[in-house]
Amino acid sequence: MNMLIFIIAGLLVHCVFLASIFDIYFTSPLVHGMTPQRTPLPPPAKRLVLFVADGLRADTLYELDDNGTPQAPYLRNIIEYKGSWGVSHTHVPTESRPGHVALIAGFYEDVSAVAKGWKENPVEFDSVFNESKYTWSWGSPDILPMFAKGASGDHVYTYCYTAEKEDFGAQDATKLDTWVFDHVKNFFQAARSNQTLFSKVNEEKVVLFLHLLGIDTNGHAHRPNSREYKDNIRKVDEGINDIVSMLEDFYGNDGKTAFILTSDHGMTDWGSHGAGHPSETLTPLIAWGAGVNYPQKVTFQFFEDEFLKEWKLEKWKRLDVNQADIAPLMASLIGVPFPLNSVGILPLDYLNNSAHFKAESMFTNAVQILEQFKIKMTQKKETTLSFLFTPFHQMLRRTDVTTLYCHHNLSSLCMHRLRLLSDTEQINILRKARSYIHQEKYHEAVSLCKTLISLALEGLSYYHTYDRLFLGISVVMGFVGWTSYVILLIVKTHTSLTRSTHDKASTVLLLYGFAAIGVLIAFFLLIQTCPWTYYIYCLLPVPVWYAVVKEFRVIQDLASLLLVFPLGQSIGFLVAGALGIEILVFSFFYRSTLTVGLIAFAGWPLITRLWAQAKVTTLCWTLLCLLLAMFPLMPVVGREPNISLVTVAGLVILLISSFFLACLCKSKNKYVPKKDLTILLFQMLSIALSTYVVNSTHSSLHHKQGLPVINQIISWTTLASSLFVPLLSPTFFFQRLLSILLSLMSPYLLLSTGYEALFPLVLSGLMFSWIYMEKEALQHYDDSLKPKLAVLNFSYTTDITQFRQLHLDDIRRSFFFVFFIVTAFFGTGNIASVNSFDPASIYCFLTVFNPFIMGSLLVWKIVIPFVLVSCAFEAVQVTTQLSSKSLFLIVLVISDLMALHFFFLVKDYGSWLDIGTSISHYVLVMVFTIFIMLLSGLAQLLTTKRIELWGRTKRHSM
Ligand SMILES: [Zn+2]
Ligand SMILES: [Zn+2]
């Protein structure tokens, strides 16, 4: 098969595999067509004030400082004397948009909706704001518009500041909050003299929403432990105090205002959010005012975390909720219908109301969630063949059944019939609950409604994940087929194991057979009116397996070969292979696994007796392996900035390059062109400059003087030149590799804030010794091959037509490459440090918030070590006289096996942290596979191409 076609097919197949999990795991949970449900009793509050302190952590708000004084004295006072409090548990991704959607619309936005557009509204959804009579909101332009846009009519008013104000480099971010407080005060000042506005704000079902972005901005810029973050909390506390007394005054202390303070997500100690660490998912919830319960004193309460003691709040009852529960709470306080797509369960403990009200509200809540379940079931029923449709019969768990039996004496609903949540059962349970309310058995009604809600929610998720198994099987079929095909391709074209002959007649027969299967599958999907993406997932395995079965002669040869192979040896080989893959998979969960792997690598020459052959090289290899093994044990980057380590890295690389320069000048028998020296000197200068810029930028920012323009110019110039300058240097092995290293180190230094600056240095040191080790390994295997590294030239690689055949040692070679690629990625960080970047590392380039540029810079920082490893691998291929194609195919098999492993590890149960991590692992490995393909192209370009600036094209051959 043509290489180009193969690469295109490979890319396509992997894109499909990658996209598949978004159809399997990230489909929109929303359904449409429900009728609004409202509690029939009068609500306790006429208006609701919602304060969202963006990025406020629960523990930072609740804990006392060293002197025992609270961070937010006013709010602490409310917890102790006026209202109810608790922890609101958010879901991943802990970002502003999904957090606000959960708070205000009551459902957890799926990641695909976030991916579709951060500021846009990808789906129509209902919210508390939409159900209100009027909502006035103040705050960030990133958040407010999405609720105004989704609302029907124009009863949601937004007042935003400009996006430029969100500069978190130099300015004081608390201004974002004082802006909001001032505008609210001015608004009510204006309302006193404006009759229409005055009557509007005095209506019932009014919501005021204050979005306070200052804390989040300060947290990103200075981290949550900073004085700035805590000062901002105090400012917000004072601001809330002012607003509350202003409102009480405005409304003449009518006691009809309810207040809620919460945040959309927390923040890690190093100032990021997005993942599922408790510091990110635990947010505060404080409610007070009309309809909200007063503090409840308790003598003992149990929570698994140790926070209560830390916060000295053991005596006040802590009422935890899920973030989406806040939406029905708000709706119930002002008496508007629950948002249509809400999956929140009304937290009754927060309500200060009659048992009748609570029972009615819970009943409404149950009906509202059941509506969604019904519509979801009907939809699924319509698109599935009736004989294949398996209705939701998630059994009531045994405890639920006994609860129902003992406490409610549900003799009319026999146990058998309860197993199916059919239409009649729903009506029966609702009718029963209704009659309990009539009989004033409110407690029973509430617990019956709760059972129904949990059943309906389970049913919702059942139908939501209905197609998961069937799609999963399709994708796994495709995976296994593709991997087998690549293995067959390796065996067929790069080894002498088989002689392939084609039998025309049987090939044609096969083609017809597979085409028929494809048509059958398509027909089957057609009558079920499946979405078009399903066709891709289900039809993809057909051509892939056709390609596999077509090579049945190779399979036969391979099978007969394996049969004569000694059993012990093949088992040993399999075990080693499996162990290698497992180490790679484990390193995604525990970075320290990489240390184990690197220590094993350090011992590799001792086992294979390579050390006897080349003692110095072995010593270098072992030492560098052990040195690199220390990096995965260090904490994730960015938590403790240490610019002096960046300086050390800059100096070390300058030392190495001057040593090389001296060697180059001293060598007498070689002609060294002046321009090569010029380029080297230029690169050294660039390194020195970068080291200086990092130091000067961070000290300037530390003194709050902003980013000097000249530093910014130097940074961007260095970045732009980094890919271009290596192309000017000669293509001799070490000169070119050193040139690539020097060029890439300068932007890496600029993007570093701590020890990670040393990482590419040690990594490339190991890469250099790896190239030598592979040369030795090759000689060890076959004495006739003696490449001379010093004279090897990258530009000749394309000239070599006589590649040698693959043998088993090449699998180890490829494994080393994959392992180094994984090390390049996890050596300095983990998933959490990738999806939640640390803005401090890009301060040399810009300080104004710009997610796209920030993201691109961060990606480039992550890519640089990959490029180094890939270039070294390119060198290994040249040294060992292998075609890049064959080694690359083995790499593909290894990474595909890993990806398949992670596909099975993707899970939809357990904590949200587990789910989020498992999915990002899969995405990462898939991206790796696609990425390695692109990377090998980039490495080839970087190592083989040469630009002659001086117009002279001369090959420096020896
Ligand atoms: Zn936020
Ligand atoms: Zn943020």
Side-chain angles (χ1 to χ4, degrees), residues 466-506:
Y466 192 77
D467 298 329
R468 207 166 270 187
L469 180 71
F470 136 78
L471 286 179
I473 291 173
S474 299
V475 171
V476 169
M477 289 278 288
F479 244 121
V480 175
W482 168 259
T483 315
S484 328
Y485 175 69
V486 177
I487 293 174
L488 289 179
L489 202 64
I490 295 169
V491 173
K492 190 179 145 193
T493 49
H494 297 286
T495 63
S496 47
L497 298 181
T498 62
R499 58 214 141 73
S500 75
T501 44
H502 265 295
D503 189 349
K504 260 258 162 79
S506 56

Side-chain angles (χ1 to χ4, degrees), residues 580-596:
I581 299 271
E582 281 319 295
I583 280 191
L584 288 175
V585 169
F586 257 91
S587 66
F588 279 67
F589 296 96
Y590 312 100
R591 284 166 63 215
S592 46
T593 319
L594 289 174
T595 307
V596 178

Side-chain angles (χ1 to χ4, degrees), residues 698-747:
H698 283 270
S699 81
S700 158
L701 283 175
H702 185 73
H703 295 110
K704 298 219 167 180
Q705 287 161 339
L707 167 65
V709 182
I710 179 77
N711 287 9
Q712 204 168 1
I713 294 171
I714 294 175
S715 301
W716 284 105
T717 324
T718 313
L719 182 73
S721 67
S722 63
L723 272 182
F724 158 74
V725 174
L727 299 182
L728 297 172
S729 63
T731 48
F732 293 112
F733 249 47
F734 288 108
Q735 256 166 301
R736 179 50 76 93
L737 285 177
L738 186 77
S739 173
I740 293 170
L741 171 66
L742 287 179
S743 287
L744 293 180
M745 262 320 268
S746 339

Side-chain angles (χ1 to χ4, degrees), residues 88 102 173 204 221 237 332 360 419 455 476 481 540 564 570 599 607 651 669 700 724 771 787 790 942:
S88 156
E204 290 184 351
D237 185 58
S332 147
E360 279 288 0
R419 293 168 71 90
L455 260 182
V476 169
L540 183 72
V564 294
S570 35
I599 290 172
I607 299 164
L651 292 179
N669 55 346
S700 158
F724 158 74
I771 298 168
L942 266 181

